[in-house]
Amino acid sequence: MKWLIFPWIGMFTLAVCAAADEPLPRDPANIYGQFENGLKYIIRQNPNPPGRAEMYLHVRTGATNETEEQNGLAHFLEHMAFNGSRHFAPGQLVPLLSSMGMRFGADTNAHTSFHETVYKLNLPDVQPETLETGLKILSDYADGLLLLPEEIDRERGIILEELRTRRGPEERIRKQVMKTVFADTRLRTHDVIGDEQSIQSVSPQQFLDYWNTWYRPENMTLLVVGDVTPDDLIARARPWLGRFSARAPAREAKTLGLRPTASAAAYVFTDPELEACDLTMLSIRPPRPPVTTVQQYHREIAERIATWIVSRRYSDLVRSGQAPFRSASAQISDFLAEATQVSFEATGEPQDWNRILDALIAEITRAIDHGFTRSELELARAGMIADAEEAVKTESTRDNTRVIVELSAAVGLQRPILSARQRLDLLKQAFESLTADELHRIFREHFDTRAYLCILSMPSGKPDVAVPSPQDLEAATRAAWARKTSPPQDKELADRILASDPVPGTVVSTTTDPDLQITTVVFENGVVLHHRFSDYKKSEVQVRISLPGGEIEETEQTRGLSNLASRMLTQPATSRFTSTQIRDLMTGKSARMSGSIGLDVMSITVTSTPADLPAAMELVHAVLTDGRLEPSNVDEWKKTQAQRIREMKRTPVGPLQELQYRIFYGGDIRFAPLTEERLEQIERSAAEAWFHRIASSAAIEVAVCGEIERQDAIDLIARYLGSLPRRQQGFESLDRLRRLERGPGPYVGDATYPSVTPQAVAAVGFVTCDESNPDRRPLSLAASILSERLIERVREKERLAYGIGAAHRAGRGMPGTGIFQAGSMTDPHNAH
């Protein structure tokens, strides 16, 4: 069950030969400190993007510190921070942020969990007055909230609407698990968002009690990442955040009461709206102290390697078509900042729950009994070191958001903060000594137990699916543990994808735009290359390959083929190698290929270091000329699509899409949602043929941008794309299909759907311009303005919806498909 997993956030490294008490270093790029009142700060100068900065106020308190009468209050309090404070009267803060160019939700937001509350500001510039305003806002969150009774009462409706948006089968199952599996803990009655009764009844005095007690300087950390001078920022922050005092006596932090799993137990949960089967094996262990030494870090990375290998085995089973599940994984991680969880889980079809259980436990048993192979350890080593080396090369160009999110997560979970170079150095040192035997020992220490909670969730009321009893599940679990396994087989890894290099194509013309610094090269086979050198992102090259073709060509008989054919780009295989072999071959290379087939274009994107770009382009060539769609890939796609189709019928989004297809798109089959009947008709051979029809003859335009010289880019594209057959079909060949037969408006529709979850979606809009029309820019600006107005009126004043906004999407690929739309999920009674 995915909700159970709370992975360690941060980077992992390993050192095996260090002394037990050798302390970990800290990233020297950060400035660490503490004000006189105990509030800590981490400041990082990072001019990416230039002239921008992000500020977080991390408060080390969340739902765990609530009393039994305050269920959901920490999250409610987070909302109240925007509804009146010392320097911003109720209703003033959001308009002020808007006037500064900050969008509510996108640039100013917050989140609450069991153990933390984090307030976030994405500042539009770093002018002194902007920095002062940001610090003033954070200081009010820390020590200036008004918590007016009338504002609390007004906000109750918003919280209830947020609660409504979360409702659904997964949430109902989660609630059942909390009340049953964790019946002897505070999770039984405690939740981050709370419940309707607590939201309606929490009093202003309870807000003050929680805020005064837990929002104290020693529980807070100021995080600032951006184009700032640390000394200047610290001096500015001290008057705002460094001088206030705690407003109430300190209390001992509360706990949820989690205890280590003492014995095996089995639980079965059902819901009529579930479609998939989720199975989790969970063992709760005591919490571990914060990681401060190299030895502790070594231990963690060894655990990470072991679970990486087992998860890889699960994935290999899926790719080979031997798995009864669609996905599975294993991990050792933090659990609600209060314990350690050892877990492995899988998702699949409900009728396969017993087979899923057997296969899930079998790989854990195999690792317990037989350990890991040389090749598996080598793959883990290659992948982790390659990632760490890439992190070193790109660290200086990481954007503010990525950096501050990682810092905040590390602060929240008391994780070490290391530089990319420090992580790489420790990792290399560690792998020199790490052995498969040591890895086996550490894995057994964690997983070799039968004290697991087996938690199965599946649909109820399906005539072809028998729901097991907890006793049945417990018996099946014992039987699975008793089965013997064979040792894993070592494997030899291929060294390259192609048997030989293709013969490079010939260049027929080269032109350069001096203003844009873009060079355009045309090859003899019709492939066109556009190149621009850029070292803005260090050691990175982006390649975008576009071929005309896709859904715009589909008919009733071919609907859905583009979607399935896209899987050849996300899970590439050829006649020479399976997708598993290709993935193994690419492991250790800092190169990623992805792609899709959309409305009118097949697009392939490669992101790589310059050194590994040839290997990535070799893969692109292999897929375009010899790509295969594995049967397991098709089976997984069909099961996922079928589940999605059934789920959509029970949510307001599904009927809304059907209305858009019939009304806005005029019933054009190319915009029709897939049906289960059509899904059954789609064949693997047809999807492969659809892909190769485009790949073998459609025009190709390639954009190469990054830290690669022009001639190197030309040579690379000449070899792997210029060598392809001559292109027969240009981009203009699709023009005859760019027509949408739709009658005059207005386009109005209503739909109802069967569901036990009371939700509705209301949406209004109008047809707008195409992408080539300059009106698209003012319309996008208008959408931002309207979103602010909708938030102010529908959310803040009338309390009718939690998340509401407007958006503009210009027509792309087909005239007449541009749309300006506003909408929100809400209570069915409020929909009209």
Side-chain angles (χ1 to χ4, degrees):
M1 296 183 64
K2 302 301 179 187
W3 65 268
L4 278 173
I5 303 305
F6 297 83
W8 288 112
I9 302 173
M11 300 298 177
F12 297 83
T13 58
L14 171 62
V16 242
C17 55
D21 58 351
E22 181 181 347
L24 283 170
R26 289 201 299 184
D27 188 345
N30 300 322
I31 303 300
Y32 309 87
Q34 180 174 306
F35 294 124
E36 293 79 2
N37 63 351
L39 189 146
K40 294 175 282 295
Y41 58 79
I42 303 175
I43 315 296
R44 185 185 185 101
Q45 188 171 21
N46 187 60
N48 186 26
R52 299 290 296 270
E54 295 200 32
M55 291 181 174
Y56 281 19
L57 179 66
H58 184 284
V59 189
R60 191 182 298 281
T61 186
T64 302
N65 281 328
E66 297 166 350
T67 66
E68 296 310 310
E69 295 76 26
Q70 295 174 340
N71 186 19
L73 186 143
H75 169 260
F76 202 149
L77 178 60
E78 169 214 309
H79 279 242
M80 292 307 302
F82 298 90
N83 291 324
S85 60
R86 180 179 296 130
H87 296 95
F88 306 99
Q92 286 187 353
L93 181 56
V94 173
L96 170 67
L97 296 170
S98 179
S99 70
M100 294 172 63
M102 300 167 66
R103 295 170 298 162
F104 184 75
D107 299 314
T108 170
N109 211 330
H111 78 255
T112 303
S113 70
F114 278 100
H115 67 280
E116 69 178 8
T117 305
V118 183
Y119 297 94
K120 312 167 187 179
L121 293 174
N122 186 355
L123 301 178
D125 58 64
V126 290
Q127 296 300 315
E129 57 271 20
T130 303
L131 295 176
E132 291 285 336
T133 299
L135 292 167
K136 182 193 299 184
I137 292 170
L138 295 184
S139 76
D140 273 14
Y141 295 160
D143 188 48
L145 299 185
L146 298 181
L147 301 174
L148 301 173
E150 60 270 25
E151 290 299 316
I152 292 172
D153 287 338
R154 284 164 51 81
E155 193 67 19
R156 295 186 204 274
I158 292 296
I159 305 293
L160 290 172
E161 280 302 317
E162 181 178 0
L163 183 64
R164 185 184 308 282
T165 64
R166 300 186 184 191
R167 287 176 177 165
E170 290 80 11
E171 177 68 4
R172 291 192 291 270
I173 290 291
R174 191 185 69 83
K175 293 280 191 182
Q176 291 182 57
V177 172
M178 292 297 189
K179 291 180 180 180
T180 306
V181 179
F182 301 100
D184 58 346
T185 75
R186 295 178 66 218
L187 287 173
R188 180 177 61 85
T189 57
H190 228 62
D191 204 351
V192 172
I193 196 171
D195 52 52
E196 289 192 24
Q197 180 179 353
S198 64
I199 292 167
Q200 293 283 21
S201 62
V202 63
S203 69
Q205 186 55 44
Q206 288 173 316
F207 275 96
L208 286 169
D209 175 74
Y210 183 93
W211 182 61
N212 288 332
T213 301
W214 301 107
Y215 275 50
R216 47 197 317 112
E218 62 267 32
N219 282 351
M220 298 182 181
T221 303
L222 170 67
L223 304 167
V224 182
V225 176
D227 197 1
V228 297
T229 303
D231 289 345
D232 174 71
L233 198 286
I234 294 167
R236 292 183 185 279
R238 179 171 277 106
W240 292 111
L241 291 163
R243 294 175 180 166
F244 76 96
S245 302
R247 298 173 298 277
R251 294 179 192 165
E252 184 178 354
K254 295 179 178 295
T255 68
L256 293 169
L258 297 173
R259 287 185 285 274
T261 306
S263 58
Y267 303 88
V268 179
F269 302 97
T270 64
D271 189 276
E273 291 189 345
L274 276 182
E275 292 296 336
C277 157
D278 287 315
L279 198 151
T280 296
M281 301 291 292
L282 170 68
S283 184
I284 300 174
R285 309 292 174 79
R288 298 188 284 195
V291 178
T292 59
T293 68
V294 170
Q295 185 186 46
Q296 290 171 302
Y297 222 50
H298 161 218
R299 174 77 177 191
E300 279 197 357
I301 196 59
E303 295 165 357
R304 176 79 168 180
I305 292 170
T307 54
W308 183 93
I309 293 173
V310 173
S311 297
R312 185 94 160 193
R313 290 180 183 178
Y314 287 138
S315 179
D316 289 350
L317 288 173
V318 173
R319 287 170 177 258
S320 66
Q322 301 176 56
F325 43 73
R326 293 206 300 274
S327 64
S329 63
Q331 61 183 306
I332 304 162
S333 60
D334 171 74
F335 187 41
L336 298 177
E338 192 174 305
T340 302
Q341 69 170 14
V342 175
S343 61
F344 46 105
E345 62 179 8
T347 298
E349 298 300 302
Q351 63 270 20
D352 295 331
W353 71 265
N354 205 334
R355 295 175 58 230
I356 292 172
L357 178 66
D358 288 344
L360 195 60
I361 290 178
E363 292 310 315
I364 299 297
T365 303
R366 195 185 319 278
I368 290 171
D369 291 345
H370 309 291
F372 308 103
T373 67
R374 175 195 55 79
S375 60
E376 287 176 325
L377 186 55
E378 282 302 308
L379 280 172
R381 179 187 186 281
M384 289 185 174
I385 288 183
D387 289 344
E389 288 175 337
E390 183 178 5
V392 171
K393 294 173 183 176
T394 60
E395 185 173 39
S396 63
T397 55
R398 290 190 306 164
D399 62 76
N400 294 337
T401 300
R402 181 177 174 185
V403 174
I404 202 168
V405 165
E406 290 179 1
L407 288 177
S408 179
V411 169
L413 290 173
Q414 301 182 63
R415 301 290 303 150
I417 300 172
L418 303 178
S419 70
R421 171 56 63 181
Q422 289 166 341
R423 293 193 297 268
L424 176 61
D425 290 345
L426 287 170
L427 194 60
K428 286 184 174 179
Q429 173 192 357
F431 270 113
E432 291 176 0
S433 304
L434 183 66
T435 66
D437 287 341
E438 181 186 5
L439 209 56
H440 185 198
R441 176 182 57 79
I442 291 173
F443 184 85
R444 290 190 63 176
E445 286 178 9
H446 284 289
F447 284 88
D448 193 4
T449 176
R450 299 299 180 266
Y452 285 99
L453 307 176
C454 181
I455 305 169
L456 172 66
S457 65
M458 59 191 303
S460 60
K462 286 185 174 292
D464 56 337
V465 178
V467 177
S469 68
Q471 294 75 23
D472 294 335
L473 181 60
E474 188 172 3
T477 302
R478 287 197 302 269
W481 281 117
R483 291 186 176 92
K484 300 297 183 182
T485 60
S486 58
Q489 297 299 306
D490 218 337
K491 53 186 176 182
E492 293 299 322
L493 304 177
D495 59 353
R496 61 173 301 176
I497 294 172
L498 296 177
S500 60
D501 286 332
V503 178
T506 304
V507 173
V508 296
S509 69
T510 302
T511 57
T512 300
D513 186 312
D515 296 325
L516 298 176
Q517 298 181 351
I518 295 176
T519 296
T520 298
V521 178
V522 179
F523 294 92
E524 189 175 29
N525 65 346
V527 170
V528 179
L529 161 67
H530 307 285
H531 168 264
R532 189 180 192 281
F533 179 87
S534 171
D535 59 358
Y536 176 68
K537 289 193 173 182
K538 296 295 183 182
S539 192
E540 181 175 301
V541 181
Q542 292 267 356
V543 180
R544 179 67 179 263
I545 304 166
S546 300
L547 299 86
E551 295 171 346
I552 198 170
E553 302 173 281
E554 292 181 352
T555 65
E556 288 189 14
Q557 291 72 39
T558 58
R559 181 68 181 135
L561 290 183
S562 297
N563 194 320
L564 177 54
S566 294
R567 304 276 295 200
M568 297 175 67
L569 298 171
T570 57
Q571 188 175 309
T574 68
S575 62
R576 296 186 71 231
F577 296 116
T578 66
S579 62
T580 297
Q581 290 172 315
I582 288 177
R583 183 182 62 173
D584 289 346
L585 193 149
M586 295 299 292
T587 297
K589 295 180 173 61
S590 298
R592 295 175 296 278
M593 185 195 86
S594 61
S596 65
I597 303 178
L599 177 64
D600 65 343
V601 66
M602 176 196 289
S603 58
I604 303 172
T605 300
V606 171
T607 303
S608 176
T609 60
D612 287 329
L613 188 56
M617 292 307 300
E618 187 176 336
L619 176 58
V620 170
H621 180 94
V623 172
L624 289 176
T625 58
D626 188 35
R628 294 292 184 269
L629 193 57
E630 295 174 312
S632 60
N633 197 351
V634 177
D635 182 61
E636 182 184 349
W637 177 80
K638 285 196 171 188
K639 288 178 179 177
T640 301
Q641 290 294 322
Q643 178 183 326
R644 180 178 178 275
I645 291 168
R646 293 191 295 269
E647 288 174 344
M648 293 293 278
K649 290 177 181 178
R650 295 172 178 169
T651 69
V653 178
L656 180 64
Q657 288 184 346
E658 183 69 24
L659 283 176
Q660 288 179 324
Y661 155 60
R662 290 194 290 104
I663 297 172
F664 181 77
Y665 293 114
D668 191 311
I669 192 65
R670 296 170 292 184
F671 296 92
L674 271 181
T675 64
E676 289 186 89
E677 293 76 20
R678 173 57 194 152
L679 197 61
E680 286 299 315
Q681 297 169 359
I682 298 177
E683 297 180 352
R684 178 169 68 98
S685 59
E688 276 190 347
W690 188 264
F691 179 93
H692 285 296
R693 175 185 59 81
I694 299 172
S696 63
S697 62
I700 295 179
E701 289 217 19
V702 192
V704 178
C705 182
E707 202 169 21
I708 182 172
E709 298 295 339
R710 178 175 64 182
Q711 192 57 51
D712 292 336
I714 293 173
D715 292 344
L716 198 67
I717 300 306
R719 180 173 300 281
Y720 294 111
L721 296 180
S723 58
L724 297 174
R726 177 174 293 277
R727 305 290 96 185
Q728 303 296 328
Q729 179 180 330
F731 284 86
E732 72 286 348
S733 64
L734 300 180
D735 289 350
R736 60 185 175 80
L737 302 173
R738 301 184 192 278
R739 295 185 61 184
L740 185 66
E741 301 295 340
R742 178 177 56 203
Y747 310 108
V748 181
D750 259 311
T752 59
Y753 63 98
S755 175
V756 299
T757 307
Q759 292 177 338
V761 166
V764 296
F766 54 89
V767 180
T768 64
C769 63
D770 299 325
E771 194 176 43
S772 58
N773 192 320
D775 286 346
R776 74 186 189 282
R777 297 184 185 275
L779 282 169
S780 295
L781 179 60
S784 296
I785 295 172
L786 183 58
S787 291
E788 296 291 341
R789 293 180 179 177
L790 288 168
I791 290 170
E792 181 180 358
R793 176 179 173 179
V794 179
R795 172 181 163 133
E796 298 300 317
K797 290 183 179 180
E798 300 186 25
R799 272 31 182 200
L800 294 175
Y802 167 66
I804 189 166
H808 176 245
R809 187 190 70 226
R812 185 175 186 179
M814 186 176 293
T817 56
I819 186 171
F820 190 106
Q821 189 169 351
S824 175
M825 184 177 291
T826 185
D827 187 307
H829 297 296
N830 297 331
H832 289 281

